[in-house]
């Protein structure tokens, strides 16, 4: 074997564990839940390559970045929440004081997370570094999707997958969350998301092909927008909103300035959840087990087969 053939063979060979660790530490990672296989897959955000698979409690469903490097994983059917260190790719804590944990919103300070529990109808304040519950607030409804403003003062919680009401919670003091009011959207709500300007909240539908955009201070939407098949999910950069329809297999880019849809990219059917971070937007497929990595303009960079089913994904720095 000559030198050229040797280098080609090395490049094609699977990475050794030490090399995997170095690769993970060198670039942003996408953490993807493999909900039927009890693990979280770590992929390179640059190449879409699967670098490692981290064994977890059974049934990892949602996953959310906290503080850039940590991630909160909700195991809904097990009543457990895992805290994962994205730099070391290890499980730091497992909290078992939940009934049906659903989704997480990360406080901008990077230590606190707010986790919804749909069976108990609560939003739960968690210290992710200590792995401890600080507070619980009853919301009188099956709490699911949750979002927080960039100032870390207000949380909105959708009370169901087809929710008649959305709860508005004051979390200025995270250990003492306070229910402020409930908002009734013009349709049955599904996902909620604060835009980057901190002034607007987008509410998606679990029943209609519509979106509603709220001013945070108002109980009624400023305007509604057409959308693909419900349920939709939403995330943001400074310039755009990204809305997915898993049933239609679409990824829409909306201009924040006027809500206009400027691009639609086909993605695999079942690509419901969508998250943004570190210059990439990711959407996994619950039905196909794929992960799509896109640019902020909605251009598809990578589509990777991760597992039989992948419910959620988030981006972490991968650096200690």
């Amino acid at each position: 074997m000559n030198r050229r053939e040797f280098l080609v063979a090395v490049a094609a060979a699977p990475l050794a564990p030490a090399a995997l660790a170095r690769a993970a530490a060198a670039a942003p990672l996408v953490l993807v839940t493999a909900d039927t296989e009890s693990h979280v897959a770590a992929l390179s955000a640059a190449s879409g390559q699967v670098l490692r698979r981290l064994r977890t409690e059974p049934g990892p469903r949602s996953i959310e970045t906290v503080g850039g490097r940590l991630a909160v994983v909700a195991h809904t059917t097990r009543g457990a929440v895992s805290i994962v260190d994205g730099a070391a790719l290890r499980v730091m804590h497992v909290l078992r004081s939940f009934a049906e944990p659903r989704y997480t919103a990360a406080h901008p300070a990077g230590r606190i997370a707010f986790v919804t529990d749909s069976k108990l109808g609560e939003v739960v304040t968690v210290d992710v570094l200590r792995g401890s519950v600080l507070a619980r607030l009853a919301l009188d409804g099956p709490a699911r999707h949750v979002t927080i403003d960039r100032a870390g003062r207000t949380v909105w919680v959708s009370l169901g997958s087809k929710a008649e009401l959305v709860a508005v919670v004051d979390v200025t003091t995270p250990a003492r969350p306070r229910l402020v009011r409930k908002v009734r959207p013009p349709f049955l709500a599904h996902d909620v998301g604060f835009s980057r300007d901190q002034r607007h909240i987008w509410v998606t539908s679990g029943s209609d092909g519509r979106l509603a955009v709220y001013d945070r201070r108002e109980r009624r939407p400023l305007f509604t927008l057409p959308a693909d098949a419900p349920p939709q999910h939403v995330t943001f950069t400074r310039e755009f909103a990204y809305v997915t329809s898993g049933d239609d297999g679409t990824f829409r880019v909306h201009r924040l300035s006027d809500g206009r849809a400027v691009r639609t990219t086909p993605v695999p059917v079942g690509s419901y959840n969508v998250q943004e971070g570190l210059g990439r937007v990711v959407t996994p497929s619950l039905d196909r087990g794929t992960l799509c990595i896109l640019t902020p303009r909605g251009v598809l960079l990578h589509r990777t087969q991760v597992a039989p089913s992948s419910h959620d994904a988030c981006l972490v720095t991968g650096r200690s």
Side-chain angles (χ1 to χ4, degrees):
M1 177 182 290
N2 61 33
R3 182 175 184 274
R4 178 181 176 84
E5 291 172 336
F6 174 78
L7 292 175
V8 170
V10 169
L15 293 175
L20 280 174
R22 288 193 296 272
L29 299 177
V30 189
L31 302 184
V32 187
T33 58
D35 43 305
T36 62
E37 294 187 335
S38 303
H39 74 265
V40 169
L43 284 72
S44 164
S47 69
Q49 178 186 6
V50 177
L51 300 176
R52 186 173 167 185
R53 297 181 186 270
L54 175 64
R55 182 62 54 186
T56 68
E57 294 285 311
R61 298 282 286 175
S62 71
I63 187 167
E64 180 72 26
T65 308
V66 182
R69 105 175 206 183
L70 302 183
V72 174
V73 183
H75 308 267
T76 303
T77 60
R78 302 287 290 193
V81 167
S82 297
I83 313 297
V84 172
D85 184 330
L89 291 178
R90 66 182 180 90
V91 176
M92 296 170 56
H93 308 286
V94 179
L95 288 67
R96 304 186 186 277
S97 55
F98 293 81
E100 290 181 357
R102 290 288 183 171
Y103 292 93
T104 300
H107 191 282
R111 176 162 185 160
I112 300 298
F114 300 94
V115 182
T116 57
D117 191 317
S118 59
K119 187 172 184 178
L120 298 180
E122 296 177 338
V123 60
V124 182
T125 306
V126 175
D127 182 327
V128 297
L129 294 184
R130 292 185 176 179
S132 61
V133 170
L134 300 181
R136 298 175 181 273
L137 176 66
L139 299 177
D140 193 27
R144 290 177 65 101
H145 284 285
V146 57
T147 185
I148 187 170
D149 70 345
R150 290 173 64 83
R153 297 175 180 172
T154 305
V155 162
W156 281 43
V157 182
S158 180
L159 300 181
S161 60
K162 296 180 179 180
E164 294 183 1
L165 297 172
V166 175
V168 180
V169 179
D170 182 338
V171 294
T172 304
T173 304
R176 293 195 297 274
R178 179 175 61 90
L179 179 63
V180 176
R181 66 179 184 273
K182 291 181 180 178
V183 173
R184 187 178 296 274
F187 43 66
L188 299 180
H190 189 76
D191 195 12
V192 289
F194 266 98
S195 65
R196 289 292 185 88
D197 61 13
Q198 301 187 45
R199 293 177 47 236
H200 298 103
I201 302 96
W202 288 45
V203 180
T204 74
S205 177
S207 60
D208 299 355
R210 288 188 291 164
L211 308 166
V213 180
Y214 282 78
D215 184 290
R216 63 181 299 166
R217 297 164 295 187
E218 302 296 330
R219 295 175 183 263
R220 295 182 180 180
L222 298 173
F223 55 89
T224 60
L225 297 169
D228 291 324
Q232 312 93 12
H233 294 77
V234 63
T235 192
F236 305 91
T237 58
R238 292 184 182 277
E239 189 176 358
F240 299 112
Y242 307 96
V243 181
T244 52
S245 168
D247 285 354
D248 280 344
T250 57
F251 173 99
R252 282 196 181 195
V253 183
H254 291 259
R255 203 161 51 198
L256 279 183
S257 58
D258 57 9
R260 179 184 174 190
V262 295
R263 186 186 186 101
T264 300
T265 302
V267 291
V269 171
S271 298
Y272 294 101
N273 287 306
V274 59
Q275 296 207 44
E276 177 277 335
L278 305 172
R280 292 290 180 263
V281 189
V282 296
T283 178
S285 174
L286 186 64
D287 296 347
R288 304 290 173 82
T290 56
L291 176 77
C292 288
I293 303 176
L294 303 99
T295 71
R297 294 279 176 178
V299 177
L300 180 63
L301 295 175
H302 306 288
R303 171 178 166 171
T304 303
Q305 187 66 47
V306 177
S309 177
S310 296
H311 185 271
D312 204 2
C314 71
L315 291 113
V316 295
T317 58
R319 295 181 176 90
S320 57

